[in-house]
Amino acid sequence: MLVAINEDRQILNLLDIDRLKMIDLKTQKFRCPVCKGQVYLKHGSVRAPHFAHVSTASCQYTSEHESYQHLSLKKVLYHWFSETEAVQVEQFLKKIQQRPDLLINARIAVEIQCSPLSVNRLRERTNSYHRNGYTVLWLMGEALWLGDYLSELKQHFLYFSESAGFYYWELDFKAKQIRLNYLIHQDLTGKLHYLVKTFAFGSDKLLDILRTPFKKGAKCLKVQVSQDISRYIARKLYYKHPKWLKVQEIYYKNEQNLLNMGNLPNVIFPVGLNRLTYQFEGVALPDYCQLTQDVRPYYRYFIRYHQTKPCGIVYPPRVYSASYQLS
């Protein structure tokens, strides 16, 4: 943790203190702002300076095991936000019993996630923010970068806008940049395809950067995928892959067989769209934690558009909705 109460009952924020001056704090006594238990300053040569509880037994809001990456990114973002916004570090929100890494302008909770957590815990925290009028932005450290495939956890960090489609934020401390992965699609093998926009630390107002997904200026995503994945599907069914067995079961119920589909072309489509089964089950709303709007109209526009045009080039949702609202 980076904040504590000193002997004068003042909140002390380590991010506002010069590292050389921290030596003078070593002999002082501090308490946790949440549980009021005793904490002490850890100021070594390896990890970033931080406060640690003498005993964590009485405090359920500790962050004793924050990594060097997490503490360092929190420091970078704190100073970056502070150039233009009102920022609070680890502000305990008593009503919802949460303490975001950073609280921006009293309404935007910024969470820097550098390690996995359970989907249930993520859902609880996200829903609690939303119910109480907070916007929450999850920014991913290295262990949770998007990569080529979408895990169950990562899909719950996806956001959506009409200009960027599904998007995902990453923080890269080594490269000193924040990355926006957007227009996220996948093909029938599950491989992800998306565009990436990078911003150097300190390059612009951070809050403006985080609003990028809502700015106009549509770009398209061009992808080349293999034209026939019938053998891939047959292999997955042979080895009884759960995902493909479930798809095959749906086909059986509708008196069809995936293995009799001929040369099935590989195509790309927005994440969350059940490309192989929507004709039987309809278009479903994905149960993603950060999704705050109904994306089913987008899926329907996408399907309608690409019934007559190849899926090697895809566009932001705004383009599809405009095409059919004007027709």
Side-chain angles (χ1 to χ4, degrees):
M1 56 191 293
L2 296 173
V3 295
I5 301 173
N6 65 15
E7 294 173 289
D8 296 324
R9 298 184 179 180
Q10 297 174 326
I11 295 288
L12 190 70
N13 177 1
L14 291 180
L15 298 181
D16 286 330
I17 300 175
D18 185 274
R19 190 170 184 131
L20 292 176
K21 295 180 180 179
M22 289 185 192
I23 298 175
D24 299 331
L25 301 177
K26 286 269 222 177
T27 58
Q28 296 185 28
K29 295 180 179 180
F30 301 95
R31 294 193 175 277
C32 171
V34 179
C35 71
K36 304 302 186 289
Q38 187 176 351
V39 297
Y40 62 98
L41 176 64
K42 298 186 74 172
H43 180 209
S45 58
V46 180
R47 293 191 63 190
H50 63 283
F51 292 107
H53 281 72
V54 173
S55 172
T56 61
S58 61
C59 187
Q60 57 180 312
Y61 304 106
T62 61
S63 49
E64 304 294 293
H65 303 293
E66 286 184 306
S67 65
Y68 173 79
Q69 178 192 194
H70 193 168
L71 290 168
S72 300
L73 285 170
K74 195 183 299 189
K75 180 178 181 179
V76 168
L77 297 193
Y78 170 76
H79 289 297
W80 193 358
F81 271 122
S82 296
E83 294 175 2
T84 55
E85 316 300 331
V87 189
Q88 294 168 286
V89 180
E90 299 172 355
Q91 177 66 31
F92 181 60
L93 305 176
K94 188 174 182 180
K95 183 178 179 181
I96 64 174
Q97 299 288 290
Q98 292 205 77
R99 188 173 62 179
D101 287 319
L102 302 171
L103 186 64
I104 313 303
N105 299 331
R107 300 314 302 169
I108 303 172
V110 174
E111 295 282 12
I112 302 165
Q113 196 63 36
C114 294
S115 58
L117 75 167
S118 73
V119 171
N120 286 340
R121 180 60 181 144
L122 173 59
R123 190 182 298 280
E124 288 173 2
R125 294 177 66 185
T126 297
N127 290 346
S128 181
Y129 281 127
H130 289 168
R131 282 195 305 269
N132 289 275
Y134 293 96
T135 296
V136 57
L137 295 175
W138 295 89
L139 311 179
M140 301 299 106
E142 186 173 358
L144 291 170
W145 289 350
L146 188 56
D148 290 332
Y149 294 92
L150 193 62
S151 68
E152 181 186 5
L153 175 60
K154 290 178 184 179
Q155 70 185 18
H156 291 287
F157 289 117
L158 289 170
Y159 291 89
F160 177 85
S161 77
E162 290 290 330
S163 295
F166 286 96
Y167 63 94
Y168 190 98
W169 288 106
E170 294 176 351
L171 293 170
D172 190 332
F173 182 68
K174 293 178 182 177
K176 309 298 182 191
Q177 62 185 210
I178 182 171
R179 285 192 294 268
L180 171 65
N181 303 317
Y182 66 106
L183 280 187
I184 301 174
H185 289 67
Q186 60 187 158
D187 60 35
L188 291 177
T189 70
K191 188 179 186 329
L192 295 176
H193 305 270
Y194 49 89
L195 297 175
V196 181
K197 187 174 180 63
T198 62
F199 307 87
F201 285 171
S203 60
D204 204 345
K205 294 180 180 179
L206 183 49
L207 199 56
D208 283 349
I209 288 174
L210 294 171
R211 289 171 176 150
T212 300
F214 301 94
K215 298 175 183 178
K216 294 183 180 179
K219 286 189 175 182
C220 63
L221 170 65
K222 299 179 181 179
V223 177
Q224 285 188 334
V225 292
S226 58
Q227 293 303 305
D228 181 5
I229 65 163
S230 300
R231 291 183 179 178
Y232 170 87
I233 294 175
R235 187 167 62 252
K236 290 295 182 181
L237 291 173
Y238 177 81
Y239 287 107
K240 302 186 185 311
H241 189 284
K243 168 191 169 182
W244 287 100
L245 287 176
K246 185 176 180 179
V247 173
Q248 180 71 303
E249 181 182 357
I250 294 171
Y251 271 69
Y252 281 155
K253 289 179 179 178
N254 289 274
E255 300 181 347
Q256 295 190 39
N257 188 335
L258 274 173
L259 298 177
N260 295 333
M261 298 297 290
N263 294 330
L264 188 65
N266 195 4
V267 292
I268 62 171
F269 47 92
V271 293
L273 174 61
N274 297 320
R275 179 62 179 81
L276 283 172
T277 60
Y278 73 82
Q279 65 268 41
F280 306 126
E281 300 182 316
V283 173
L285 180 67
D287 185 27
Y288 297 164
C289 285
Q290 314 308 321
L291 194 58
T292 58
Q293 66 189 92
D294 190 345
V295 297
R296 287 173 295 186
Y298 162 47
Y299 289 157
R300 295 187 185 102
Y301 289 139
F302 180 93
I303 293 168
R304 182 177 172 186
Y305 183 92
H306 287 289
Q307 283 177 338
T308 58
K309 296 179 178 63
C311 277
I313 302 178
V314 294
Y315 303 91
R318 188 185 303 278
V319 173
Y320 295 108
S321 59
S323 297
Y324 289 104
Q325 289 171 2
L326 293 174
S327 62

